[in-house]
């Protein structure tokens, strides 16, 4: 996977969202997906391949570029462009610990990791991550 980038171009996760306000864009991910997301994101962006993180409440498309930028692309989705250093920093930021984090090299980008609840077949919470 590291030789030429992951073949996974999209991930569906149960908790993803975003909000832009006052020049700051906050992207939200559930703690349960953070580790997997970090690995795939790092493998994709290192080889200039984008990654779509899709969920029931929205989507975030990450890709590399010369300068940081964010743009709405419709249907509840945004595109986040990251310079190489910021892409590495983002992958290192994604861990299964609830909290709000800034991303070096991406001014105006905030990552919020929220607790994830693991439920059994009856809908009872059996574990919480984050």
């Amino acid at each position: 996977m590291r030789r030429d980038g992951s073949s996974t171009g999209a991930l569906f996760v149960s908790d993803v969202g975003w909000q832009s306000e006052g020049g700051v864009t906050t992207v939200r991910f559930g703690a349960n997906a953070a580790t997997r997301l970090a690995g795939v994101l790092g493998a994709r962006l290192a080889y200039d391949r984008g990654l779509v993180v899709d969920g029931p409440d929205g989507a975030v498309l990450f890709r590399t570029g010369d300068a940081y930028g964010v743009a709405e692309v419709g249907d509840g989705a945004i595109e986040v462009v990251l310079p190489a250093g910021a892409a590495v920093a983002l992958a290192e930021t994604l861990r299964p610990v609830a909290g709000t984090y800034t991303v070096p090299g991406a001014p105006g980008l905030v990552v919020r990791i929220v607790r994830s609840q693991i439920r059994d077949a009856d809908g009872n919470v059996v574990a919480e991550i984050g």
Side-chain angles (χ1 to χ4, degrees), residues 9-109:
L11 289 176
F12 185 86
V13 297
S14 61
D15 195 346
V16 59
W18 61 272
Q19 175 182 331
S20 287
E21 186 176 315
V24 174
T25 298
T26 302
V27 293
R28 180 192 76 244
F29 302 108
N32 190 40
T35 302
R36 181 173 51 128
L37 179 56
V40 174
L41 186 69
R44 297 285 299 175
L45 296 183
Y47 294 94
D48 293 325
R49 295 180 176 186
L51 176 68
V52 176
V53 183
D54 199 3
D57 297 327
V60 181
L61 164 64
F62 292 101
R63 69 175 182 86
T64 55
D66 293 331
Y68 166 73
V70 175
E72 286 190 52
V73 293
D75 292 331
I78 60 169
E79 178 181 63
V80 178
V81 179
L82 297 166
V88 170
L90 175 60
E92 291 172 351
T93 299
L94 295 168
R95 56 189 185 273
V97 178
T100 302
Y101 308 95
T102 58
V103 179
L109 181 63

